[in-house]
Amino acid sequence: MLLPILSILALVALDQLTKYLATCYLAPVGSAPFLPGIMELRYVLNDGMAFSMLSGARWLLIAVTTVAMAIMLFYLLHERKKLSRLEAFSLVLIIGGGIGNLIDRVRFGYVVDFFATTFVDFAIFNVADCFVTVGVVLLMASILFQEFCKNKKSAALGEKKPCGEDEVSPQPQNCPQEKSDG
């Protein structure tokens, strides 16, 4: 139980440190080159969520994020023995990133963003956003992989699919034939 909590705290600390550094060193100059042709550092205050959606809805964003993080943290801590390592790691990333941005919203009413892609017009983002995005992608990959393995195992064991799930036959096997009244 201690490792997930410490990991989340480390991610939050890293996120807060990068935002502090961006505020101290990037805010006075506005922007600075980072990876030429790919990304620059650009100081932006975002009072919305991704792509500045729900701009100005501070308390709604705080409430929704707080509830979502509490549910995920509860699930992570109470169901961790049922979770794969990838699922647990994914939740740690999502929770750490969510809490990192939540701290900014509560303290300041906005989130400090500073990574700006230059090769494509995209939202400016921060380290917490990276944690959440990577966590969600890994969680989806884990779920899809588990479903793939479960379906492959079922097929190898010759298990029949439930009524309506047969891909070969136009009329699902093991289902009663429809009677016509005409």
Side-chain angles (χ1 to χ4, degrees):
M1 182 183 305
L2 191 58
L3 183 60
I5 299 288
L6 291 176
S7 300
I8 290 168
L9 291 175
L11 294 175
V12 170
L14 179 61
D15 171 64
Q16 292 297 298
L17 175 63
T18 60
K19 290 173 181 172
Y20 172 78
L21 292 173
T23 301
C24 289
Y25 299 105
L26 191 58
V29 296
S31 65
F34 182 54
L35 299 170
I38 299 172
M39 185 173 289
E40 72 177 7
L41 300 176
R42 188 181 317 152
Y43 186 78
V44 174
L45 304 177
N46 180 1
D47 70 345
M49 54 185 252
F51 304 101
S52 295
M53 292 185 294
L54 295 176
S55 184
R58 174 184 184 190
W59 297 109
L60 174 65
L61 292 171
I62 289 172
V64 170
T65 304
T66 301
V67 170
M69 294 304 102
I71 290 169
M72 282 189 257
L73 185 59
F74 179 84
Y75 184 75
L76 174 65
L77 297 178
H78 292 279
E79 302 293 328
R80 72 182 184 284
K81 292 184 180 181
K82 296 178 185 176
L83 298 173
S84 70
R85 287 183 181 166
L86 183 57
E87 289 171 322
F89 179 66
S90 301
L91 288 173
V92 165
L93 286 171
I94 295 167
I95 295 165
I99 291 173
N101 280 340
L102 180 62
I103 289 170
D104 284 7
R105 282 190 213 294
V106 170
R107 286 182 64 202
F108 309 117
Y110 55 82
V111 172
V112 174
D113 288 333
F114 49 89
F115 290 124
T117 57
T118 56
F119 69 96
V120 65
D121 188 23
F122 190 72
I124 300 171
F125 54 97
N126 59 43
V127 172
D129 298 332
C130 295
F131 293 155
V132 171
T133 301
V134 171
V136 168
V137 168
L138 289 176
L139 187 59
M140 289 181 353
S142 176
I143 292 167
L144 290 172
F145 181 73
Q146 288 176 20
E147 284 300 311
F148 173 77
C149 289
K150 186 169 62 173
N151 289 342
K152 192 172 182 178
K153 184 178 178 182
S154 294
L157 295 174
E159 294 177 6
K160 291 188 177 181
K161 294 186 177 193
C163 179
E165 291 188 14
D166 186 85
E167 297 103 4
V168 179
S169 171
Q171 175 63 38
Q173 296 175 350
N174 304 326
C175 292
Q177 296 292 322
E178 292 183 25
K179 295 180 182 178
S180 62
D181 292 333

